[in-house]
Amino acid sequence: MQQDLFAANTREQADHTDWRERAAWLATEINRHNHAYYVLDAPTIPDAEYDRLFGELLALEAAHSELVTPASPTQRVGAAPLAEFAQITHSVPMLSLANAFGDDDVIAFDRRAGEGLQLELVEYNAELKFDGLAINLRYEDGILMQAATRGDGETGEDVTANIRTVRAIPLRLSTAHPPKVLEVRGEVLMFRADFDRMNARQREAGQKEFANPRNAAAGSLRQLDPRITAQRPLRFFAYGIGALEGVDTPQTHAGMLDWFASLGIPVCSERAVVPGAEGLLEFFRQIGAKRDRLPYDIDGVVYKVNSLAQQQALGFVTRAPRFAIAHKFPAQEALTVVQDIEVQVGRTGAITPVARLAPVFVGGVTVTNATLHNEDEIRRKDIRIGDTVIVRRAGDVIPEVVAHVPEMRPQDAREFSMPSVCPVCGSPIVKPEDEAIARCSGGWVRCAAQRKAGLQHFASRKAMDIEGLGDQLIEQLVDKNLVATAADLYRLELPALAGLDRMADKSAQNVLNALEQSKSTTLARFLYSLGIRHVGESTAKTLASHFGRLEALTKATVEELQTVPDVGPVVAQSIRQYLSDPLSLSMIEQLRSAGIVWAEGEPVFASPQPLQGKTFVLTGALPTLTREHATEMIETAGGKVAGSVSKKTHFVVSGHEAGSKLAKAQALGITILDEAAFLELLKQS
């Protein structure tokens, strides 16, 4: 698909019959993209497309050795350093890694390492491949003296003044006996949460937003004014070593990372020593399963022979070590064409433009649609119908259009115009002056799209959790006028349900049983299920804890609502508006009349909760409780559940296969509870 796109849009690629011309064109393209990526911090194609071009040139050079010259991009690591920075020659070259894209590549790497070392089983250190900017830190007698980017592998840019502003990097090593010289290789990166906060500040200041954390980190480090760099939330993880003088070299790569940590140099805890190809692939699967929960972006994992002596024995090829390889995840970005732009209507009436795409495989699935967020975003990114665009998909996140490729825009590309009326119900589309999102004004009463989306939300797992009431069934219920509000769901009867498509008596009865079971719920779930604008799962829990009873909440004024933690004037006004609407109050009354109940509690301000002010962290699999159930129990008692362990954590609830959180809790002396002790604590509270 992507190769066809380039053939259609790039004249230089057309009609290449001579492999010399093809190789020359590939070299030119790769050098151009290197400059955009490494020097301008403005990549024009996804990594997967760059890897495809690079792989094709490698294959041509392997087949025709006379093509290999010192000027070929396959013989370089990156790109030339910026002229604005002084140049530093690395005492030990900073090489890049060869790539593995599948299990067979990893098995072949392990086989080559075993044959080279004459071992049946090789021990490896497996770690993460960060999506940031490679840096070499040079310490002399324990003092940070110099920092340089990778550059072309031989020569990098002197960014010492900027690196000194990165608080994660120690200016002095934590040891009384530092090495005479220590060069630490690692990655400067930006955590996603920090990136989002920084972009929010950029928006508020009316300044340009950054495209992604990697570009933000690279751009921040290349500021000519270190004062600007100091304002950017940069982090650092060490993963390798360059020059070392004055102390003995550690025997293993894992030991070296542990030594770095003892010196106060940040290293990532997501690493493991594993045996053979099977151990490597298991680590890859484990990291892949939690990739989207990590606080930073990674695009793969890295495998290194653990013994440093064995690394030396295996040595290097021209541009990469034989003892290491990067195992990359399926591409999360790809190129495709915008065939059309349509709009979808959400449960709150939000009108979301959606790009209809030429099918493209990205993030492990074939994508045909991607969100464009809102009209302002389309204008900012200048996305037009007919454009070739970069599409990104990460985990279960809805695919989005990141940017268009200017050089591939056809002459007949068309701009998108937001419709003036809802495509579903014909009601006017309105856009308040202080909001970026346009909305259908029809509401649940007039707009079937809002009705369907609202019912889907009501039945969802974190709301009323009505098993079997899926999107397709709700579509039929609304289209056949069997359900108009959430209360109507509890009036459904077996014959009507069984008569729908793909339903029968048994499946219909299962849905009725699920509806009956959902009647016993919590106030927090009920509030969340109502779909009040700006009231998400967390806010619903806070409201339920604060007021204790629905009646107290319905009578609360805007001012009283704003006394609730995390409820500001906008959220308070939205809640008050919903609970003042006669239609909303009527539906709530109908739902309660249908038998929906929950245990009423005392409001927080009247009766302090037993776990108020206590922070818990959950790790591993508990014998009988799901993580969601345990979280709900803690929050119902007034406690808070955090995602990571810190000095502010009061308890860690640990189950089977607990990971690094348990180890950190033990190191900090935090109280650790198994499930039985956790339940006993709740009982005593």
Side-chain angles (χ1 to χ4, degrees):
M1 170 65 198
Q2 295 170 1
Q3 193 167 354
D4 291 340
L5 284 170
F6 268 86
N9 290 281
T10 309
R11 186 169 53 193
E12 292 92 335
Q13 189 172 344
D15 300 323
H16 280 294
T17 57
D18 184 271
W19 46 263
R20 290 180 182 275
E21 291 183 15
R22 179 63 177 167
W25 179 84
L26 285 168
T28 300
E29 282 294 286
I30 291 168
N31 283 330
R32 183 168 67 84
H33 293 308
N34 274 344
H35 182 78
Y37 190 97
Y38 290 100
V39 178
L40 303 180
D41 297 322
T44 55
I45 60 172
D47 288 350
E49 182 61 29
Y50 178 91
D51 290 339
R52 186 189 67 78
L53 294 172
F54 200 98
E56 185 181 349
L57 182 56
L58 279 175
L60 275 174
E61 291 181 349
H64 307 283
S65 59
E66 63 269 34
L67 291 176
V68 182
T69 69
S72 171
T74 64
Q75 307 305 300
R76 297 165 60 91
V77 175
L82 286 171
E84 290 90 342
F85 291 96
Q87 298 183 16
I88 292 178
T89 300
H90 299 301
S91 58
V92 178
M94 293 184 70
L95 301 182
S96 59
L97 299 175
N99 290 325
F101 294 100
D103 291 4
D104 291 345
D105 295 336
V106 176
I107 293 169
F109 163 72
D110 176 58
R111 185 183 65 251
R112 291 192 301 270
E115 291 172 351
L117 296 169
Q118 297 183 343
L119 293 174
E120 290 188 8
L121 189 65
V122 179
E123 183 181 80
Y124 298 95
N125 185 86
E127 55 197 56
L128 306 186
K129 185 177 183 299
F130 303 105
D131 195 9
L133 189 70
I135 290 292
N136 182 75
L137 307 176
R138 183 179 176 89
Y139 289 87
E140 297 178 4
D141 296 321
I143 306 298
L144 178 64
M145 300 300 294
Q146 195 178 74
T149 63
R150 183 199 301 272
D152 63 4
E154 299 286 343
T155 303
E157 304 150 7
D158 185 347
V159 291
T160 307
N162 289 342
I163 281 293
R164 287 179 180 278
T165 71
V166 180
R167 295 184 179 181
I169 296 174
L171 300 180
R172 180 190 295 272
L173 298 179
S174 300
T175 176
H177 304 287
K180 181 177 179 58
V181 174
L182 169 62
E183 289 188 348
V184 178
R185 269 79 192 271
E187 201 91 356
V188 171
L189 67 159
M190 195 175 288
F191 282 23
R192 294 193 200 104
D194 294 335
F195 171 77
D196 291 339
R197 284 191 288 268
M198 186 178 69
N199 259 354
R201 291 195 297 270
Q202 293 289 106
R203 284 194 298 272
E204 291 172 4
Q207 297 176 351
K208 181 181 178 181
E209 294 180 45
F210 294 92
N212 53 56
R214 191 267 163 197
N215 281 7
S220 299
L221 207 54
R222 288 194 173 109
Q223 292 291 325
L224 296 178
D225 185 349
R227 291 172 297 182
I228 297 177
T229 307
Q231 297 171 6
R232 305 284 171 80
L234 297 175
R235 314 282 187 114
F236 176 79
F237 284 129
Y239 55 65
I241 194 167
L244 179 63
E245 299 175 16
V247 298
D248 293 334
T249 304
Q251 294 184 345
T252 65
H253 184 79
M256 178 192 69
L257 294 178
D258 290 338
W259 179 50
F260 282 171
S262 72
L263 297 176
I265 299 168
V267 294
C268 181
S269 61
E270 298 287 350
R271 52 189 170 96
V273 175
V274 299
E278 188 173 327
L280 296 177
L281 294 174
E282 177 58 27
F283 180 81
F284 182 80
R285 286 188 286 268
Q286 290 177 2
I287 294 300
K290 60 181 178 181
R291 178 187 183 186
D292 297 320
R293 300 194 301 274
L294 295 173
Y296 37 72
D297 286 342
I298 61 172
D299 56 6
V301 299
V302 174
Y303 311 134
K304 298 173 182 174
V305 172
N306 194 32
S307 166
L308 297 188
Q310 291 174 359
Q311 289 186 8
Q312 290 294 324
L314 287 171
F316 302 80
V317 293
T318 303
R319 61 181 295 273
R322 289 191 178 94
F323 57 80
I325 197 168
H327 190 179
K328 303 191 81 170
F329 291 117
Q332 292 188 302
E333 291 185 348
L335 290 178
T336 188
V337 170
V338 178
Q339 297 178 328
D340 200 0
I341 297 177
E342 301 174 358
V343 297
Q344 290 181 343
V345 186
R347 66 180 174 86
T348 62
I351 303 294
T352 303
V354 176
R356 305 303 182 192
L357 307 170
V360 61
F361 192 76
V362 56
V365 300
T366 299
V367 171
T368 56
N369 303 316
T371 181
L372 291 166
H373 299 291
N374 55 61
E375 188 177 16
D376 292 344
E377 191 74 355
I378 294 176
R379 300 286 175 257
R380 186 179 70 81
K381 294 179 178 177
D382 190 22
I383 306 297
R384 303 183 188 182
I385 299 167
D387 271 346
T388 295
V389 294
I390 299 172
V391 176
R392 178 175 174 82
R393 180 184 182 272
D396 295 327
V397 177
I398 298 171
E400 68 168 331
V401 174
V402 177
H404 76 282
V405 182
E407 64 202 58
M408 299 174 70
R409 170 170 286 170
Q411 292 184 351
D412 59 350
R414 293 180 288 117
E415 292 189 13
F416 166 76
S417 296
M418 179 68 77
S420 59
V421 298
C422 174
V424 176
C425 68
S427 298
I429 290 177
V430 296
K431 182 182 175 184
E433 289 185 7
D434 58 342
E435 294 188 16
I437 298 174
R439 299 181 186 277
C440 165
S441 59
W444 271 42
V445 176
R446 299 181 185 85
C447 187
Q450 293 184 60
R451 199 173 311 140
K452 291 174 183 176
L455 290 168
Q456 290 164 3
H457 173 79
F458 181 85
S460 64
R461 184 171 58 87
K462 293 182 178 181
M464 298 302 289
D465 193 18
I466 307 173
E467 190 173 348
L469 194 61
D471 295 356
Q472 292 184 346
L473 182 55
I474 288 174
E475 291 267 351
Q476 292 189 71
L477 291 172
V478 173
D479 290 343
K480 295 183 181 295
N481 295 318
L482 293 174
V483 170
T485 71
D488 292 337
L489 292 170
Y490 295 94
R491 302 188 185 100
L492 289 170
E493 297 180 348
L494 185 64
L497 266 177
L500 297 175
D501 293 343
R502 299 183 181 179
M503 294 290 285
D505 286 351
K506 185 176 180 179
S507 54
Q509 187 59 54
N510 288 340
V511 172
L512 291 177
N513 292 343
L515 282 162
E516 187 64 30
Q517 187 175 350
S518 74
K519 290 180 180 179
S520 179
T521 187
T522 65
L523 176 57
R525 281 180 174 270
F526 182 76
L527 291 175
Y528 178 62
S529 75
L530 297 176
I532 303 171
R533 192 175 171 202
H534 301 306
V535 176
E537 184 186 6
S538 177
T539 302
K541 290 176 180 178
T542 304
L543 290 168
S545 297
H546 187 86
F547 289 100
R549 300 172 181 273
L550 180 62
E551 286 71 20
L553 173 61
T554 57
K555 295 175 182 177
T557 64
V558 170
E559 291 73 21
E560 290 170 338
L561 286 166
Q562 289 185 65
T563 65
V564 180
D566 300 326
V567 174
V570 173
V571 179
Q573 188 61 48
S574 178
I575 296 169
R576 185 65 264 151
Q577 183 176 346
Y578 182 92
L579 295 176
S580 299
D581 185 342
L583 287 176
S584 301
L585 294 174
S586 174
M587 186 179 71
I588 290 172
E589 184 57 39
Q590 290 177 53
L591 287 167
R592 301 197 75 176
S593 297
I596 292 179
V597 295
W598 54 82
E600 298 271 31
E602 291 299 322
V604 168
F605 49 78
S607 176
Q609 293 178 292
L611 298 182
Q612 190 77 28
K614 302 297 183 184
T615 299
F616 290 72
V617 171
L618 305 174
T619 181
L622 299 176
T624 65
L625 295 174
T626 64
R627 184 162 295 194
E628 185 178 78
H629 189 192
T631 298
E632 194 167 310
M633 294 171 75
I634 292 167
E635 291 176 339
T636 299
K640 176 185 176 183
V641 177
S644 59
V645 177
S646 71
K647 292 180 180 179
K648 296 181 179 179
T649 305
H650 295 90
F651 300 98
V652 168
V653 182
S654 176
H656 180 59
E657 293 186 349
S660 59
K661 294 176 183 177
L662 176 60
K664 187 171 183 180
Q666 291 170 332
L668 292 173
I670 293 168
T671 302
I672 298 169
L673 308 172
D674 59 13
E675 183 180 290
F678 168 63
L679 292 174
E680 182 61 27
L681 174 67
L682 288 174
K683 183 180 178 181
Q684 292 176 359
S685 300

